[in-house]
mmCIF file of all heavy atoms in Angstrom:
data_model
loop_
_atom_site.group_PDB
_atom_site.id
_atom_site.type_symbol
_atom_site.label_atom_id
_atom_site.label_comp_id
_atom_site.label_asym_id
_atom_site.label_seq_id
_atom_site.Cartn_x
_atom_site.Cartn_y
_atom_site.Cartn_z
ATOM 1 N N TRP A 138 -31.344 -9.286 -47.159
ATOM 2 C CA TRP A 138 -32.202 -8.599 -48.094
ATOM 3 C C TRP A 138 -33.690 -8.597 -47.566
ATOM 4 O O TRP A 138 -34.504 -7.766 -47.879
ATOM 5 C CB TRP A 138 -32.258 -9.226 -49.456
ATOM 6 C CG TRP A 138 -32.559 -10.756 -49.412
ATOM 7 C CD1 TRP A 138 -31.779 -11.745 -49.223
ATOM 8 C CD2 TRP A 138 -33.890 -11.242 -49.440
ATOM 9 N NE1 TRP A 138 -32.365 -12.984 -49.093
ATOM 10 C CE2 TRP A 138 -33.698 -12.675 -49.357
ATOM 11 C CE3 TRP A 138 -35.170 -10.878 -49.660
ATOM 12 C CZ2 TRP A 138 -34.813 -13.627 -49.307
ATOM 13 C CZ3 TRP A 138 -36.256 -11.757 -49.657
ATOM 14 C CH2 TRP A 138 -36.039 -13.137 -49.461
ATOM 15 N N ALA A 139 -34.073 -9.514 -46.695
ATOM 16 C CA ALA A 139 -35.406 -9.622 -46.306
ATOM 17 C C ALA A 139 -35.866 -8.859 -45.089
ATOM 18 O O ALA A 139 -37.085 -8.591 -44.971
ATOM 19 C CB ALA A 139 -35.680 -11.143 -45.803
ATOM 20 N N TRP A 140 -34.875 -8.127 -44.474
ATOM 21 C CA TRP A 140 -35.218 -7.260 -43.383
ATOM 22 C C TRP A 140 -35.747 -5.904 -44.071
ATOM 23 O O TRP A 140 -35.002 -5.165 -44.798
ATOM 24 C CB TRP A 140 -34.082 -6.965 -42.521
ATOM 25 C CG TRP A 140 -34.265 -6.072 -41.352
ATOM 26 C CD1 TRP A 140 -33.883 -4.829 -41.129
ATOM 27 C CD2 TRP A 140 -35.070 -6.382 -40.231
ATOM 28 N NE1 TRP A 140 -34.362 -4.335 -39.953
ATOM 29 C CE2 TRP A 140 -35.051 -5.301 -39.381
ATOM 30 C CE3 TRP A 140 -35.837 -7.613 -39.835
ATOM 31 C CZ2 TRP A 140 -35.907 -5.172 -38.168
ATOM 32 C CZ3 TRP A 140 -36.521 -7.530 -38.623
ATOM 33 C CH2 TRP A 140 -36.490 -6.339 -37.844
ATOM 34 N N PRO A 141 -37.045 -5.472 -43.698
ATOM 35 C CA PRO A 141 -37.546 -4.416 -44.394
ATOM 36 C C PRO A 141 -37.152 -2.979 -43.770
ATOM 37 O O PRO A 141 -37.497 -1.852 -44.177
ATOM 38 C CB PRO A 141 -39.042 -4.519 -44.142
ATOM 39 C CG PRO A 141 -39.072 -5.378 -42.953
ATOM 40 C CD PRO A 141 -37.950 -6.248 -42.891
ATOM 41 N N GLY A 142 -36.518 -3.033 -42.634
ATOM 42 C CA GLY A 142 -36.089 -1.926 -41.958
ATOM 43 C C GLY A 142 -37.054 -1.560 -40.868
ATOM 44 O O GLY A 142 -38.254 -1.851 -40.839
ATOM 45 N N CYS A 143 -36.593 -0.623 -39.849
ATOM 46 C CA CYS A 143 -37.436 -0.182 -38.753
ATOM 47 C C CYS A 143 -37.631 1.333 -38.860
ATOM 48 O O CYS A 143 -36.610 2.100 -38.922
ATOM 49 C CB CYS A 143 -36.732 -0.545 -37.493
ATOM 50 S SG CYS A 143 -37.586 -0.050 -35.978
ATOM 51 N N HIS A 144 -38.815 1.733 -39.119
ATOM 52 C CA HIS A 144 -39.210 3.075 -39.394
ATOM 53 C C HIS A 144 -40.046 3.889 -38.478
ATOM 54 O O HIS A 144 -40.917 3.228 -37.992
ATOM 55 C CB HIS A 144 -39.808 3.150 -40.886
ATOM 56 C CG HIS A 144 -39.084 2.490 -42.004
ATOM 57 N ND1 HIS A 144 -37.866 3.041 -42.566
ATOM 58 C CD2 HIS A 144 -39.239 1.338 -42.626
ATOM 59 C CE1 HIS A 144 -37.415 2.094 -43.461
ATOM 60 N NE2 HIS A 144 -38.155 1.100 -43.454
ATOM 61 N N ALA A 145 -39.728 4.998 -38.208
ATOM 62 C CA ALA A 145 -40.541 5.856 -37.286
ATOM 63 C C ALA A 145 -41.934 6.078 -37.812
ATOM 64 O O ALA A 145 -42.064 6.256 -39.125
ATOM 65 C CB ALA A 145 -39.863 7.165 -37.023
ATOM 66 N N VAL A 146 -42.947 5.976 -37.132
ATOM 67 C CA VAL A 146 -44.349 6.307 -37.495
ATOM 68 C C VAL A 146 -44.599 7.808 -37.430
ATOM 69 O O VAL A 146 -44.334 8.331 -36.323
ATOM 70 C CB VAL A 146 -45.295 5.477 -36.634
ATOM 71 C CG1 VAL A 146 -46.716 5.741 -37.096
ATOM 72 C CG2 VAL A 146 -45.006 3.926 -36.854
ATOM 73 N N GLY A 147 -44.983 8.490 -38.319
ATOM 74 C CA GLY A 147 -45.382 9.757 -38.386
ATOM 75 C C GLY A 147 -46.754 10.041 -38.945
ATOM 76 O O GLY A 147 -47.518 9.177 -39.370
ATOM 77 N N ASP A 148 -47.041 11.402 -39.005
ATOM 78 C CA ASP A 148 -48.251 11.852 -39.645
ATOM 79 C C ASP A 148 -48.199 11.775 -41.144
ATOM 80 O O ASP A 148 -47.127 11.824 -41.659
ATOM 81 C CB ASP A 148 -48.646 13.257 -39.203
ATOM 82 C CG ASP A 148 -48.923 13.257 -37.738
ATOM 83 O OD1 ASP A 148 -49.404 12.357 -37.128
ATOM 84 O OD2 ASP A 148 -48.697 14.496 -37.151
ATOM 85 N N VAL A 149 -49.454 11.718 -41.891
ATOM 86 C CA VAL A 149 -49.429 11.610 -43.260
ATOM 87 C C VAL A 149 -49.125 13.164 -43.726
ATOM 88 O O VAL A 149 -50.071 14.027 -43.216
ATOM 89 C CB VAL A 149 -50.666 11.034 -43.653
ATOM 90 C CG1 VAL A 149 -50.891 11.287 -45.256
ATOM 91 C CG2 VAL A 149 -50.939 9.604 -43.352
ATOM 92 N N GLU A 150 -48.233 13.398 -44.412
ATOM 93 C CA GLU A 150 -48.043 14.766 -45.033
ATOM 94 C C GLU A 150 -48.864 15.003 -46.235
ATOM 95 O O GLU A 150 -48.749 14.105 -47.196
ATOM 96 C CB GLU A 150 -46.450 14.889 -45.343
ATOM 97 C CG GLU A 150 -46.185 16.266 -45.611
ATOM 98 C CD GLU A 150 -44.638 16.555 -45.944
ATOM 99 O OE1 GLU A 150 -43.920 15.588 -45.742
ATOM 100 O OE2 GLU A 150 -44.286 17.645 -46.447
ATOM 101 N N VAL A 151 -49.573 16.049 -46.247
ATOM 102 C CA VAL A 151 -50.493 16.409 -47.345
ATOM 103 C C VAL A 151 -50.163 17.795 -47.870
ATOM 104 O O VAL A 151 -50.109 18.697 -47.219
ATOM 105 C CB VAL A 151 -51.867 16.436 -46.881
ATOM 106 C CG1 VAL A 151 -52.934 16.755 -48.110
ATOM 107 C CG2 VAL A 151 -52.353 15.091 -46.255
ATOM 108 N N LEU A 152 -49.814 17.719 -49.146
ATOM 109 C CA LEU A 152 -49.492 19.045 -49.929
ATOM 110 C C LEU A 152 -50.741 19.453 -50.735
ATOM 111 O O LEU A 152 -51.450 18.665 -51.234
ATOM 112 C CB LEU A 152 -48.348 18.809 -50.710
ATOM 113 C CG LEU A 152 -47.063 18.380 -50.107
ATOM 114 C CD1 LEU A 152 -45.940 17.965 -51.118
ATOM 115 C CD2 LEU A 152 -46.495 19.280 -49.028
ATOM 116 N N PRO A 153 -50.850 20.787 -50.976
ATOM 117 C CA PRO A 153 -51.983 21.224 -51.753
ATOM 118 C C PRO A 153 -51.727 20.851 -53.233
ATOM 119 O O PRO A 153 -50.637 20.678 -53.713
ATOM 120 C CB PRO A 153 -51.845 22.804 -51.610
ATOM 121 C CG PRO A 153 -50.494 23.049 -51.156
ATOM 122 C CD PRO A 153 -50.032 21.905 -50.343
ATOM 123 N N LEU A 154 -52.891 20.852 -53.999
ATOM 124 C CA LEU A 154 -52.860 20.566 -55.365
ATOM 125 C C LEU A 154 -52.192 21.684 -56.027
ATOM 126 O O LEU A 154 -52.336 22.922 -55.607
ATOM 127 C CB LEU A 154 -54.251 20.277 -55.863
ATOM 128 C CG LEU A 154 -54.962 18.970 -55.476
ATOM 129 C CD1 LEU A 154 -56.446 19.105 -56.058
ATOM 130 C CD2 LEU A 154 -54.193 17.817 -56.209
ATOM 131 N N PRO A 155 -51.448 21.493 -57.142
ATOM 132 C CA PRO A 155 -50.883 22.603 -57.960
ATOM 133 C C PRO A 155 -52.122 23.367 -58.467
ATOM 134 O O PRO A 155 -53.235 22.903 -58.617
ATOM 135 C CB PRO A 155 -50.341 21.817 -59.111
ATOM 136 C CG PRO A 155 -50.037 20.600 -58.708
ATOM 137 C CD PRO A 155 -51.141 20.217 -57.666
ATOM 138 N N ASP A 156 -51.881 24.704 -58.618
ATOM 139 C CA ASP A 156 -53.034 25.637 -59.076
ATOM 140 C C ASP A 156 -53.701 25.067 -60.264
ATOM 141 O O ASP A 156 -54.987 25.242 -60.379
ATOM 142 C CB ASP A 156 -52.411 27.116 -59.287
ATOM 143 C CG ASP A 156 -51.901 27.705 -58.013
ATOM 144 O OD1 ASP A 156 -52.331 27.265 -57.033
ATOM 145 O OD2 ASP A 156 -51.031 28.613 -58.209
ATOM 146 N N GLY A 157 -53.052 24.597 -61.248
ATOM 147 C CA GLY A 157 -53.835 24.114 -62.435
ATOM 148 C C GLY A 157 -54.786 23.072 -62.276
ATOM 149 O O GLY A 157 -55.594 22.785 -63.123
ATOM 150 N N LEU A 158 -54.575 22.300 -61.205
ATOM 151 C CA LEU A 158 -55.523 21.266 -60.874
ATOM 152 C C LEU A 158 -56.605 21.595 -59.824
ATOM 153 O O LEU A 158 -57.563 20.809 -59.555
ATOM 154 C CB LEU A 158 -54.867 20.037 -60.306
ATOM 155 C CG LEU A 158 -53.987 19.235 -61.380
ATOM 156 C CD1 LEU A 158 -53.254 18.098 -60.657
ATOM 157 C CD2 LEU A 158 -54.871 18.736 -62.504
ATOM 158 N N THR A 159 -56.641 22.815 -59.406
ATOM 159 C CA THR A 159 -57.619 23.253 -58.452
ATOM 160 C C THR A 159 -58.869 23.525 -59.209
ATOM 161 O O THR A 159 -58.935 24.536 -60.077
ATOM 162 C CB THR A 159 -57.205 24.459 -57.590
ATOM 163 O OG1 THR A 159 -55.996 24.120 -56.872
ATOM 164 C CG2 THR A 159 -58.238 24.856 -56.701
ATOM 165 N N PRO A 160 -59.917 22.908 -59.162
ATOM 166 C CA PRO A 160 -61.164 23.038 -60.065
ATOM 167 C C PRO A 160 -61.998 24.278 -59.776
ATOM 168 O O PRO A 160 -62.001 24.798 -58.586
ATOM 169 C CB PRO A 160 -62.102 21.775 -59.821
ATOM 170 C CG PRO A 160 -61.659 21.426 -58.387
ATOM 171 C CD PRO A 160 -60.205 21.729 -58.188
ATOM 172 N N ILE A 161 -62.401 24.822 -60.796
ATOM 173 C CA ILE A 161 -63.406 25.955 -60.652
ATOM 174 C C ILE A 161 -64.786 25.347 -60.380
ATOM 175 O O ILE A 161 -65.344 24.652 -61.227
ATOM 176 C CB ILE A 161 -63.505 26.883 -61.894
ATOM 177 C CG1 ILE A 161 -62.076 27.408 -62.294
ATOM 178 C CG2 ILE A 161 -64.542 27.947 -61.769
ATOM 179 C CD1 ILE A 161 -62.138 28.179 -63.458
ATOM 180 N N GLN A 162 -65.282 25.596 -59.225
ATOM 181 C CA GLN A 162 -66.410 24.967 -58.746
ATOM 182 C C GLN A 162 -67.659 25.573 -59.465
ATOM 183 O O GLN A 162 -67.940 26.797 -59.556
ATOM 184 C CB GLN A 162 -66.673 25.016 -57.262
ATOM 185 C CG GLN A 162 -65.557 24.414 -56.446
ATOM 186 C CD GLN A 162 -65.627 22.880 -56.667
ATOM 187 O OE1 GLN A 162 -66.725 22.298 -56.944
ATOM 188 N NE2 GLN A 162 -64.367 22.252 -56.603
ATOM 189 N N PRO A 163 -68.578 24.666 -60.060
ATOM 190 C CA PRO A 163 -69.779 25.255 -60.646
ATOM 191 C C PRO A 163 -70.655 25.781 -59.690
ATOM 192 O O PRO A 163 -70.752 25.519 -58.488
ATOM 193 C CB PRO A 163 -70.395 24.069 -61.308
ATOM 194 C CG PRO A 163 -69.930 22.886 -60.586
ATOM 195 C CD PRO A 163 -68.444 23.282 -60.103
ATOM 196 N N ILE A 164 -71.577 26.692 -60.078
ATOM 197 C CA ILE A 164 -72.607 27.263 -59.170
ATOM 198 C C ILE A 164 -73.751 26.357 -59.060
ATOM 199 O O ILE A 164 -74.479 26.111 -60.064
ATOM 200 C CB ILE A 164 -73.076 28.629 -59.600
ATOM 201 C CG1 ILE A 164 -71.875 29.632 -59.837
ATOM 202 C CG2 ILE A 164 -74.140 29.302 -58.740
ATOM 203 C CD1 ILE A 164 -72.189 31.056 -60.478
ATOM 204 N N PRO A 165 -74.036 25.867 -57.833
ATOM 205 C CA PRO A 165 -75.094 24.958 -57.680
ATOM 206 C C PRO A 165 -76.567 25.514 -58.082
ATOM 207 O O PRO A 165 -76.675 26.734 -57.802
ATOM 208 C CB PRO A 165 -75.088 24.469 -56.231
ATOM 209 C CG PRO A 165 -73.698 24.815 -55.811
ATOM 210 C CD PRO A 165 -73.468 26.090 -56.625
ATOM 211 N N SER A 166 -77.363 24.756 -58.569
ATOM 212 C CA SER A 166 -78.759 25.163 -58.777
ATOM 213 C C SER A 166 -79.692 23.942 -58.595
ATOM 214 O O SER A 166 -79.100 22.798 -58.811
ATOM 215 C CB SER A 166 -78.943 25.830 -60.250
ATOM 216 O OG SER A 166 -78.560 24.878 -61.231
ATOM 217 N N LYS A 167 -80.892 24.319 -58.362
ATOM 218 C CA LYS A 167 -81.797 23.177 -58.020
ATOM 219 C C LYS A 167 -82.745 22.807 -59.209
ATOM 220 O O LYS A 167 -83.184 23.548 -59.892
ATOM 221 C CB LYS A 167 -82.699 23.436 -56.802
ATOM 222 C CG LYS A 167 -81.863 23.665 -55.511
ATOM 223 C CD LYS A 167 -82.777 23.819 -54.388
ATOM 224 C CE LYS A 167 -82.003 23.966 -53.133
ATOM 225 N NZ LYS A 167 -81.148 22.798 -52.706
ATOM 226 N N ASN A 168 -82.973 21.491 -59.314
ATOM 227 C CA ASN A 168 -83.965 20.956 -60.307
ATOM 228 C C ASN A 168 -84.363 19.671 -59.852
ATOM 229 O O ASN A 168 -83.648 18.679 -60.158
ATOM 230 C CB ASN A 168 -83.416 20.871 -61.780
ATOM 231 C CG ASN A 168 -84.271 20.454 -62.689
ATOM 232 O OD1 ASN A 168 -85.238 19.703 -62.530
ATOM 233 N ND2 ASN A 168 -84.084 20.863 -63.980
ATOM 234 N N PRO A 169 -85.337 19.488 -58.988
ATOM 235 C CA PRO A 169 -85.649 18.223 -58.455
ATOM 236 C C PRO A 169 -85.897 17.036 -59.396
ATOM 237 O O PRO A 169 -85.475 16.000 -59.037
ATOM 238 C CB PRO A 169 -87.020 18.541 -57.676
ATOM 239 C CG PRO A 169 -87.012 19.992 -57.366
ATOM 240 C CD PRO A 169 -86.182 20.580 -58.579
ATOM 241 N N GLU A 170 -86.433 17.433 -60.555
ATOM 242 C CA GLU A 170 -86.744 16.298 -61.565
ATOM 243 C C GLU A 170 -85.284 15.785 -62.057
ATOM 244 O O GLU A 170 -85.130 14.680 -62.216
ATOM 245 C CB GLU A 170 -87.471 16.811 -62.644
ATOM 246 C CG GLU A 170 -87.822 15.785 -63.699
ATOM 247 C CD GLU A 170 -88.703 16.324 -64.838
ATOM 248 O OE1 GLU A 170 -89.128 17.433 -64.839
ATOM 249 O OE2 GLU A 170 -88.907 15.564 -65.810
ATOM 250 N N MET A 171 -84.379 16.626 -62.414
ATOM 251 C CA MET A 171 -83.025 16.280 -62.895
ATOM 252 C C MET A 171 -82.297 15.569 -61.797
ATOM 253 O O MET A 171 -81.677 14.572 -62.061
ATOM 254 C CB MET A 171 -82.305 17.450 -63.382
ATOM 255 C CG MET A 171 -80.940 17.055 -63.861
ATOM 256 S SD MET A 171 -80.857 16.077 -65.323
ATOM 257 C CE MET A 171 -81.467 17.228 -66.618
ATOM 258 N N ALA A 172 -82.391 15.980 -60.533
ATOM 259 C CA ALA A 172 -81.669 15.342 -59.406
ATOM 260 C C ALA A 172 -82.239 14.003 -59.271
ATOM 261 O O ALA A 172 -81.401 13.009 -59.070
ATOM 262 C CB ALA A 172 -81.822 16.226 -58.173
ATOM 263 N N GLY A 173 -83.552 13.729 -59.280
ATOM 264 C CA GLY A 173 -84.195 12.378 -59.301
ATOM 265 C C GLY A 173 -83.665 11.525 -60.350
ATOM 266 O O GLY A 173 -83.353 10.361 -60.167
ATOM 267 N N PHE A 174 -83.549 12.155 -61.523
ATOM 268 C CA PHE A 174 -83.108 11.298 -62.820
ATOM 269 C C PHE A 174 -81.678 10.874 -62.609
ATOM 270 O O PHE A 174 -81.323 9.555 -62.762
ATOM 271 C CB PHE A 174 -83.236 12.224 -63.978
ATOM 272 C CG PHE A 174 -82.716 11.505 -65.184
ATOM 273 C CD1 PHE A 174 -83.312 10.394 -65.839
ATOM 274 C CD2 PHE A 174 -81.544 11.936 -65.842
ATOM 275 C CE1 PHE A 174 -82.811 9.761 -66.860
ATOM 276 C CE2 PHE A 174 -80.976 11.365 -66.876
ATOM 277 C CZ PHE A 174 -81.662 10.223 -67.544
ATOM 278 N N ILE A 175 -80.819 11.756 -62.136
ATOM 279 C CA ILE A 175 -79.350 11.381 -62.034
ATOM 280 C C ILE A 175 -79.238 10.380 -60.936
ATOM 281 O O ILE A 175 -78.425 9.384 -60.960
ATOM 282 C CB ILE A 175 -78.543 12.519 -61.601
ATOM 283 C CG1 ILE A 175 -78.560 13.567 -62.866
ATOM 284 C CG2 ILE A 175 -77.150 12.241 -61.219
ATOM 285 C CD1 ILE A 175 -77.787 14.878 -62.592
ATOM 286 N N LYS A 176 -79.958 10.573 -59.701
ATOM 287 C CA LYS A 176 -79.989 9.593 -58.634
ATOM 288 C C LYS A 176 -80.293 8.178 -59.109
ATOM 289 O O LYS A 176 -79.644 7.124 -58.651
ATOM 290 C CB LYS A 176 -80.717 10.065 -57.454
ATOM 291 C CG LYS A 176 -80.204 11.217 -56.665
ATOM 292 C CD LYS A 176 -81.212 11.623 -55.633
ATOM 293 C CE LYS A 176 -80.761 12.907 -54.932
ATOM 294 N NZ LYS A 176 -81.600 13.380 -53.770
#
């Protein structure tokens, strides 16, 4: 039971997020005072 097995090393497989989780990106806008406050 203690032997964990010998496994081939491969690349990390990455799949795209489902459509429902792909966020709608907001339109950036500038406000130095607000940016400073958040920071």
Side-chain angles (χ1 to χ4, degrees):
W138 58 269
W140 182 252
C143 179
H144 304 285
V146 175
D148 294 330
V149 175
E150 185 175 358
V151 180
L152 301 177
L154 287 172
D156 290 341
L158 286 178
T159 303
I161 300 173
Q162 296 297 330
I164 299 174
S166 57
K167 295 186 180 299
N168 183 331
E170 184 178 355
M171 180 61 74
F174 174 72
I175 292 175
K176 288 178 180 178

